[in-house]
Amino acid sequence: MKAKGFVKGRPRDLAVLNYGLFKVNSNGRIIGICGFLIRTDAGEAILVDTGFPEKYATDTEAAVQEDRLFEFGEVLHCGPENLPQSQLAKLGLDSSDITLQVCTHTHIDHIGALGAFPASPILISATERALPRPLYWGDVQPLEWPDQDYLEIEGDVEIGPGLTVLMAPGHAPGQIAVMVDLPSGTFLLTSDAISRPEEIDEKFAGSWDEDAAIASADRLMRLASKRDAFVIYGHCPRQWPELRKAPEVYS
């Protein structure tokens, strides 16, 4: 299967999925954990990222201890209602409706249900897929790659009309972003290529590759400016409360 042209319809609407809240130890920043659901006029449903693993919704404290996530921060909220299946239900969808999964990168708060939709292929950067295991976090890497179809990309790809996946390495080796052309205008989903606008001035300190992150962010923001796109950042504390969340949509 080829990623280019895999999606047949044009984007009809975009939903922000609420996967929970997290507090970062080093700075006290409280961030939303988000995913997205893009529906097309051909009846397709594209799921972008899947939040924390299910164990965080069933026994948060045990999951935090098992993964040593307390070393990085605190899971403030992640309940059953924050799992992908519950978020999809808000939109009248279930797992069988997903026609494509997009994995922006493989950190713990983005791949919790990576293998939970076996009927749909996973679109991912070839660089990220080449890793022995998903990154998860720090030196904790408990997940294996799901045994299912992958659409591996090595550069920018128009996966469908009005739907482009953009390479944006820096935060992670295979970080990607997504540009979505809705009837109301263009949206840029930066994921963690730009988690919040202030990262640009901070020069992406602490990233996997700071120089690459700077270059990727510069390119994404130039593309956003050129397209007059509404930018949804990966984890912006100021933006998160203001975003429409499922069942509300952008259309």
Side-chain angles (χ1 to χ4, degrees):
M1 288 186 291
K2 293 183 178 180
K4 184 175 182 180
F6 181 85
V7 177
K8 303 307 177 187
R10 298 193 65 87
R12 174 170 63 87
D13 59 37
L14 165 71
V16 178
L17 308 181
N18 178 3
Y19 292 146
L21 278 178
F22 187 82
K23 183 178 180 180
V24 181
N25 283 341
S26 62
N27 49 45
R29 189 177 298 121
I30 295 175
I31 59 175
I33 307 301
C34 67
F36 304 93
L37 194 285
I38 302 164
R39 290 184 286 199
T40 77
D41 57 14
E44 296 151 305
I46 301 149
L47 179 62
V48 181
D49 290 341
T50 56
F52 282 114
E54 184 175 357
K55 64 183 180 180
Y56 280 83
T58 56
D59 191 336
T60 303
E61 183 56 31
V64 167
Q65 292 298 318
E66 182 179 29
D67 291 337
R68 306 200 320 270
L69 193 58
F70 56 83
E71 296 174 8
F72 182 65
E74 179 183 357
V75 179
L76 298 179
H77 185 77
C78 181
E81 71 277 12
N82 301 114
L83 294 174
Q85 291 82 355
S86 297
Q87 291 292 303
L88 292 175
K90 291 176 178 285
L91 300 163
L93 300 172
D94 61 33
S95 298
S96 65
D97 294 311
I98 301 303
T99 53
L100 178 66
Q101 256 190 283
V102 175
C103 178
T104 63
H105 64 298
T106 59
H107 283 150
I108 186 174
D109 54 328
H110 294 261
I111 60 162
L114 188 65
F117 305 87
S120 63
I122 298 170
L123 187 147
I124 190 169
S125 159
T127 301
E128 202 88 352
R129 179 63 181 87
L131 298 170
R133 288 172 176 252
L135 291 169
Y136 211 67
W137 100 268
D139 62 356
V140 180
Q141 296 184 326
L143 299 185
E144 301 283 355
W145 290 105
D147 182 16
Q148 62 190 87
D149 292 331
Y150 290 85
L151 303 179
E152 298 182 29
I153 64 169
E154 296 181 346
D156 296 352
V157 178
E158 186 176 10
I159 62 172
L163 192 55
T164 303
V165 176
L166 303 164
M167 293 302 304
H171 175 78
Q175 177 74 56
I176 59 178
V178 183
M179 189 84 81
V180 186
D181 291 329
L182 293 174
S184 64
T186 299
F187 285 67
L188 174 62
L189 315 178
T190 68
S191 181
D192 290 8
I194 313 174
S195 66
R196 53 195 173 83
E198 293 81 3
E199 272 197 316
I200 297 172
D201 292 333
E202 294 166 4
K203 305 299 184 184
F204 297 89
S207 295
W208 168 75
D209 185 325
E210 294 173 8
D211 289 341
I214 292 168
S216 291
D218 179 66
R219 186 173 83 100
L220 290 178
M221 295 309 291
R222 283 189 284 107
L223 286 171
S225 177
K226 183 178 180 180
R227 301 287 301 279
D228 193 26
F230 180 78
V231 179
I232 299 182
Y233 299 97
H235 300 289
C236 179
R238 289 182 293 103
Q239 186 184 53
W240 179 245
E242 301 172 357
L243 293 173
R244 301 176 197 170
K245 317 251 185 353
E248 293 186 72
V249 298
Y250 295 94
S251 59

